[in-house]
Amino acid sequence: MPSNSFESFCGRVCSFVRFSPDHDAITAELTAHLEDHRDALLELRSGLTQEEAEEAAVKAMGDPEELGRALNESHSPLLGWFQIWFQAVVWFLSAIIVIFCLFHLPDTLENLTSKPDSVSSDPALYFERQVYPDDLVTQYEANAVYQDPPYIYTIEQVAIENYSGARYVECILQITQPNPWLRCPAFGYDLWAEDDVGNRYPSTREWRALDETIYSKVKVSTPMGDFPFTTHYCLTVTNVDPAATQLTFRFDRYGEIRLSLTVPLKGGQADG
Amino acid sequence: MAERPISQRGRKWRILRDAVILLLALVFLTVTLDFPIFTAGQALRATQIRYYWEDGEMVAQLPPGNIYKYQYLLRNGNWYAWCGLSREGLLWNYGSLVSVYRDPEQPLTAITPVSIQTILVVAGDPDIAQVEVEYPITVSLSESSRTCQLKRLRQDPVTEHCFWFQPPEESSPICQLEDIRLRGYAADGTLIYQSPIPESWAKIGIHVTE
């Protein structure tokens, strides 16, 4: 237990330290020093009384005002209060955020890792679910890739369908981007296509401006899922020439080609 | 053991540690909230990239609309675009962008960016100093009939070659872009160009003779 003279000395020192939250720690440290000094004096000089040793220890510490002012310099109230309040606010906010995040963790993990339900983990399954088996002529992998930073466009699967004698081509287009704020690029209205026998399949915008009796066109679905790093679209080209063996999708509304993907076509006249 | 007072350096380290904790917490929050958009500038930039309009420069900020509180006019060469941004509380939604080409061969070209609530007209003819849009509005509607009348709005350009119309809510057009008639006037008020009378007007009982 600290003696009265120690308490009095520490109190005088602390009266010069403006940052009060540190007073207890300063008092504790000074008291420990004083006690160590007192005990050392009592050991060295056997004739000293407890009070005399304490008085000598206090005296050895020097002027309390000078010591207090020196400590005040190293205990800035501005930095000290800021650190205390900043820590309180940060820990409180962080606790709330962690609870909120943990509550939504399953949804977050699914959002970061999943593909749209309609595409599932395998785009091939999309066609199995969406297309009548009698209409599906063939389905195959294409692996057509086009890069236009920040987007990477990939057609992984192609399905050739036959509706009342008309050849339809459906592709699952996957677009990946490293920046989650750039998901769902908006090219769908202006994506057109051409085949290797000279036919042009207009974009939805061009088709609307044309005679609506023209049945060939490129249609891009709304995004099949809204995920941070990946967007899927279904591209459909109607009334594709049976003689065509490959189809190239293009987006060049503003002059420069920003998307160009060529996929082979199977199940046409060339394949018998 | 007595607690040692924290040194200045110790406090700075604690502030740094807490700043890192705060940053990590905000990153987790951002991921959990599915990467929300925090500022209008970020929303505008993201919209431009998503619509392949990275090189477009903002030439005018338009008055706030009913759906999009922040509307901008962008330009890239002879292409013009309307870009609309909307807020959701403190955060921003993904914006919309609709573009139009200023064809020097076409005296006037129009688009209706927000469905039928707004009309953007670009003038290919450099002599056009004012543009007027004329469109039908419904004045009375019953189960058996609908009565329409024509409404006109005339504007000066918001920026070079660009005219922006935001009809008041009570007189919003009931029609599609094809139902709007455009007129272009010279600086002295002379009519330079007017588009043909839309065929659809006759179907809703509006007959105009010239």
Side-chain angles (χ1 to χ4, degrees):
Chain A
M1 185 152 178
S3 72
N4 284 341
S5 58
F6 287 177
E7 274 184 17
S8 163
F9 177 80
C10 292
R12 287 191 64 196
V13 171
C14 286
S15 68
F16 295 99
V17 179
R18 285 178 297 159
F19 185 53
S20 58
D22 273 358
H23 284 185
D24 286 348
I26 291 169
T27 301
E29 189 169 15
L30 286 177
T31 303
H33 282 307
L34 289 164
E35 285 173 349
D36 287 347
H37 199 166
R38 176 197 65 195
D39 294 344
L41 288 172
L42 286 173
E43 250 183 59
L44 286 171
R45 300 184 209 164
S46 52
L48 277 179
T49 64
Q50 178 95 354
E51 288 73 23
E52 286 170 337
E54 284 176 0
E55 215 169 287
V58 167
K59 205 171 179 182
M61 290 296 279
D63 181 10
E65 183 177 339
E66 198 178 322
L67 181 59
R69 290 191 190 283
L71 284 169
N72 184 50
E73 290 294 311
S74 60
H75 291 265
S76 158
L78 186 69
L79 185 69
W81 283 118
F82 175 77
Q83 186 265 315
I84 285 171
W85 281 104
F86 186 64
Q87 179 174 319
V89 169
V90 166
W91 288 28
F92 177 72
L93 280 178
S94 300
I96 290 175
I97 289 171
V98 166
I99 291 166
F100 177 80
C101 292
L102 285 175
F103 191 70
H104 290 88
L105 189 61
D107 291 341
T108 306
L109 291 176
E110 194 182 331
N111 193 32
L112 290 173
T113 57
S114 291
K115 290 186 173 183
D117 286 344
S118 55
V119 178
S120 182
S121 57
D122 180 1
L125 291 174
Y126 170 78
F127 299 118
E128 289 177 16
R129 290 178 187 171
Q130 304 289 327
V131 180
Y132 284 114
D134 291 348
D135 297 329
L136 186 63
V137 176
T138 183
Q139 177 187 333
Y140 50 92
E141 290 181 7
N143 294 321
V145 180
Y146 187 81
Q147 292 195 31
D148 179 42
Y151 299 113
I152 300 172
Y153 306 85
T154 310
I155 292 178
E156 295 172 337
Q157 284 282 329
V158 181
I160 308 292
E161 296 150 35
N162 188 328
Y163 291 108
S164 309
R167 192 188 194 193
Y168 278 47
V169 176
E170 276 202 298
C171 306
I172 299 296
L173 173 65
Q174 176 184 281
I175 303 167
T176 53
Q177 72 281 334
N179 184 339
W181 285 280
L182 300 180
R183 67 183 82 179
C184 305
F187 59 85
Y189 215 49
D190 296 290
L191 188 73
W192 60 277
E194 62 185 348
D195 62 25
D196 56 337
V197 289
N199 297 298
R200 191 180 195 280
Y201 304 90
S203 67
T204 304
R205 188 191 303 273
E206 291 168 333
W207 179 78
R208 286 195 177 173
L210 291 167
D211 181 354
E212 290 192 3
T213 56
I214 295 170
Y215 294 114
S216 292
K217 66 166 177 169
V218 178
K219 190 181 164 211
V220 181
S221 71
T222 52
M224 301 158 69
D226 181 6
F227 294 90
F229 303 103
T230 309
T231 309
H232 287 87
Y233 292 96
C234 181
L235 314 180
T236 307
V237 188
T238 53
N239 286 301
V240 177
D241 192 329
T245 58
Q246 69 176 37
L247 192 65
T248 301
F249 293 95
R250 286 225 166 85
F251 172 71
D252 57 359
R253 176 160 164 78
Y254 305 111
E256 187 187 354
I257 293 176
R258 302 298 300 267
L259 193 169
S260 178
L261 283 165
T262 300
V263 291
L265 298 180
K266 297 180 182 174
Q269 286 173 354
D271 297 328
Chain B
M1 192 174 163
E3 187 192 344
R4 290 179 62 84
I6 307 166
S7 65
Q8 298 272 67
R9 197 176 166 186
R11 289 206 184 279
K12 285 176 186 170
W13 271 113
R14 285 188 181 194
I15 290 169
L16 187 67
R17 176 201 64 190
D18 293 339
V20 171
I21 290 172
L22 181 64
L23 194 68
L24 285 174
L26 290 176
V27 168
F28 280 120
L29 184 65
T30 301
V31 173
T32 302
L33 292 176
D34 198 15
F35 303 95
I37 299 175
F38 299 105
T39 65
Q42 187 190 3
L44 177 63
R45 185 78 192 135
T47 304
Q48 284 188 248
I49 295 173
R50 286 177 54 241
Y51 281 84
Y52 304 88
W53 256 79
E54 304 93 327
D55 299 332
E57 60 167 325
M58 192 206 301
V59 288
Q61 181 159 6
L62 303 167
N66 296 328
I67 298 171
Y68 295 96
K69 298 299 175 197
Y70 289 76
Q71 303 185 97
Y72 304 97
L73 195 60
L74 309 174
R75 183 181 178 180
N76 186 9
N78 256 1
W79 281 93
Y80 289 83
W82 162 91
C83 179
L85 307 175
S86 62
R87 289 189 85 140
E88 197 172 303
L90 291 173
L91 304 171
W92 293 79
N93 290 319
Y94 283 95
S96 291
L97 187 145
V98 182
S99 56
V100 60
Y101 182 68
R102 179 179 169 260
D103 185 352
E105 302 295 316
Q106 289 281 331
L108 293 173
T109 312
I111 52 170
T112 50
V114 195
S115 181
I116 52 174
Q117 309 243 342
T118 53
I119 306 159
L120 174 66
V121 183
V122 292
D125 183 343
D127 294 331
I128 292 178
Q130 272 197 328
V131 165
E132 183 178 79
V133 291
E134 190 173 25
Y135 52 89
I137 58 167
T138 302
V139 287
S140 71
L141 186 65
S142 67
E143 280 185 11
S144 57
S145 68
R146 184 174 78 175
T147 309
C148 298
Q149 70 178 37
L150 293 175
K151 180 96 183 165
R152 289 182 183 189
L153 287 175
R154 198 158 157 171
Q155 291 280 358
D156 291 324
V158 285
T159 185
E160 200 181 16
H161 312 306
C162 261
F163 302 82
W164 175 251
F165 297 88
Q166 196 157 289
E169 214 163 327
E170 66 273 16
S171 69
S172 291
I174 53 155
C175 49
Q176 301 297 314
L177 181 62
E178 295 75 34
D179 306 325
I180 298 169
R181 192 177 197 192
L182 304 169
R183 291 189 186 89
Y185 296 91
D188 62 1
T190 313
L191 179 66
I192 296 179
Y193 167 80
Q194 67 176 342
S195 62
I197 298 168
E199 291 173 9
S200 60
W201 287 6
K203 293 176 192 165
I204 53 173
I206 294 175
H207 301 279
V208 179
T209 49
E210 291 184 306

